[in-house]
Amino acid sequence: MTYEINSRPLGLASTDQELIRRHTLVSRLKSNTFLRSLWNNYRKFRPPTQPRAHAEAADYSGKIVVIYRHVYITHDRERFPQKHRPSEFNHDDCFRNLVETVGNHPSKGVVKIIIYYNGTREQFLSDPLCAYLDKIEVNVEVFLLSTKSAVEAVLVLLRETLSMDLNDQDIVYFLENDYIHHENWVNEVLSAYSSNIPFDYLSLYDHPDRYKIPKNYQNTELFTTGTRHWVTAPSTCGSFLVQFGKFKRDFKYVYSTKNDHQMFSRLTGKLKRKLITPVPGLAVHCMAEHLDPIQRFEEYFKRPKNE
């Protein structure tokens, strides 16, 4: 195994700080009933955003770069008591699963993993994730973040991703640290990008909201690659894939303090970008109330550790 830790911690830039200041201001305005009423009236009469031209689908000819966001974790339940996890959940197994599924693809050079670690070098070296990296044969690059919140960390890694030396057809996979993946997700992603399905964004998560709130998914389209069905969706969570060229095109909309649903509602609604998700799913967000309705990815946590 080879991994490299970038010695310069990445912090907030002036653009990140400005977005956070705006976010704080908007939050305060929304808490004021009178000002919120004025803002809602303004939104009714302002000119609509003009959607950009939709790019034609192209055959895949690049690589997948996984942008993995992680943080120094001691006790998940103490940090986020509102998060209900599947039985025996742990973040170490999520990363282990990612590495194992990436390794299932015959060409190891197709997928590169970059970890943005919100913590110090000492914390990273003492993290079980680091110990696991010493045992595997996957090249990983690690960047340390000196940010104080998930919002700050996301802004930094988005901005850093924009400056990467990638081809426009390379696929960027923004991935949170609490997902479990299907063993064949890499092949299915490559198949989707090599197909003639017209889409801009791709999520591996078949969100159970599709079945709990079907009225929100009425105007969707169904596609197939021959091995998997794909269906359009209005939004998804913060883990998604996009070709680098389209990421650059939409950067000013993705680089935002808005939550995942708000961001994708703008992309798929006002800007007419297409987001597709697989049926059945190829990954699951490990929240006990939002697991895959059919597949039991969470059983991965219960398997013997020597497998």
Side-chain angles (χ1 to χ4, degrees):
M1 163 59 202
T2 302
Y3 68 87
E4 176 184 351
I5 305 177
N6 191 289
S7 59
R8 179 178 62 87
L10 302 173
L12 294 177
S14 58
T15 51
D16 306 328
Q17 294 170 341
E18 178 60 26
L19 274 179
I20 292 173
R21 280 195 292 268
R22 292 181 187 177
H23 176 73
T24 303
L25 176 60
V26 169
S27 297
R28 290 175 179 173
L29 290 176
K30 287 182 177 179
S31 66
N32 184 295
T33 304
F34 175 71
L35 293 176
R36 186 170 67 249
S37 176
L38 289 179
W39 170 249
N40 288 336
N41 287 329
Y42 163 74
R43 291 178 64 185
K44 292 179 182 178
F45 297 103
R46 67 177 176 176
T49 303
Q50 295 297 321
R52 298 192 181 192
H54 184 84
E56 294 295 327
D59 288 342
Y60 171 78
S61 62
K63 59 179 177 288
I64 301 175
V65 181
V66 180
I67 307 296
Y68 191 81
R69 181 164 62 88
H70 194 48
V71 62
Y72 182 71
I73 294 173
T74 52
H75 301 290
D76 187 58
R77 290 183 180 178
E78 294 178 8
R79 295 173 64 248
F80 301 109
Q82 77 278 14
K83 290 188 176 182
H84 301 288
R85 299 296 193 180
S87 176
E88 301 184 44
F89 165 86
N90 68 83
H91 292 86
D92 301 334
D93 277 353
C94 289
F95 186 75
R96 182 189 300 270
N97 165 264
L98 172 67
V99 170
E100 290 173 353
T101 55
V102 166
N104 287 337
H105 193 273
S107 177
K108 293 183 179 180
V110 167
V111 182
K112 178 180 181 180
I113 300 176
I114 302 177
I115 300 173
Y116 283 88
Y117 189 85
N118 198 5
T120 65
R121 182 184 181 89
E122 290 71 24
Q123 288 173 331
F124 177 76
L125 293 175
S126 66
D127 195 296
L129 180 146
C130 182
Y132 177 63
L133 290 179
D134 285 324
K135 303 175 183 178
I136 59 178
E137 296 181 357
V138 176
N139 289 327
V140 176
E141 190 171 4
V142 180
F143 290 91
L144 302 176
L145 300 178
S146 59
T147 51
K148 300 178 181 179
S149 69
V151 172
E152 291 185 2
V154 168
L155 292 178
V156 173
L157 70 85
L158 286 171
R159 180 171 43 77
E160 289 293 322
T161 301
L162 183 67
S163 65
M164 289 182 180
D165 184 18
L166 299 176
N167 296 323
D168 282 352
Q169 290 190 328
D170 288 338
I171 302 165
V172 181
Y173 183 11
F174 294 104
L175 178 60
E176 297 161 300
N177 63 353
D178 54 356
Y179 278 72
I180 289 291
H181 290 76
H182 186 280
E183 61 182 7
N184 203 37
W185 73 267
V186 176
N187 286 332
E188 296 290 0
V189 165
L190 298 180
S191 178
Y193 274 96
S194 298
S195 73
N196 60 358
I197 299 175
F199 69 93
D200 300 284
Y201 293 86
L202 183 152
S203 169
L204 301 179
Y205 183 30
D206 183 20
H207 202 297
D209 277 359
R210 178 178 296 278
Y211 314 101
K212 296 176 181 178
I213 320 174
K215 65 178 182 180
N216 292 347
Y217 294 81
Q218 290 178 348
N219 299 319
T220 56
E221 300 174 80
L222 182 66
F223 305 95
T224 179
T225 59
T227 58
R228 180 76 47 165
H229 286 92
W230 296 86
V231 64
T232 56
S235 66
T236 190
C237 297
S239 294
F240 59 90
L241 298 93
V242 60
Q243 286 184 315
F244 189 60
K246 294 181 179 180
F247 172 66
K248 291 189 295 183
R249 177 197 66 188
D250 291 343
F251 179 74
K252 70 177 182 179
Y253 307 109
V254 178
Y255 179 69
S256 167
T257 56
K258 295 182 182 296
N259 63 40
D260 310 328
H261 177 72
Q262 292 172 331
M263 181 190 76
F264 273 105
S265 293
R266 184 175 191 181
L267 288 170
T268 63
K270 293 184 177 181
L271 299 174
K272 306 303 180 185
R273 308 298 193 232
K274 276 193 178 181
L275 163 69
I276 61 171
T277 63
V279 181
L282 290 166
V284 67
H285 191 193
C286 293
M287 303 292 290
E289 64 273 28
H290 297 305
L291 297 175
D292 191 281
I294 298 177
Q295 302 184 101
R296 296 291 175 256
F297 291 108
E298 65 274 15
E299 292 298 314
Y300 182 88
F301 298 115
K302 300 178 183 179
R303 71 174 196 166
K305 299 304 181 184
N306 59 351
E307 286 189 9

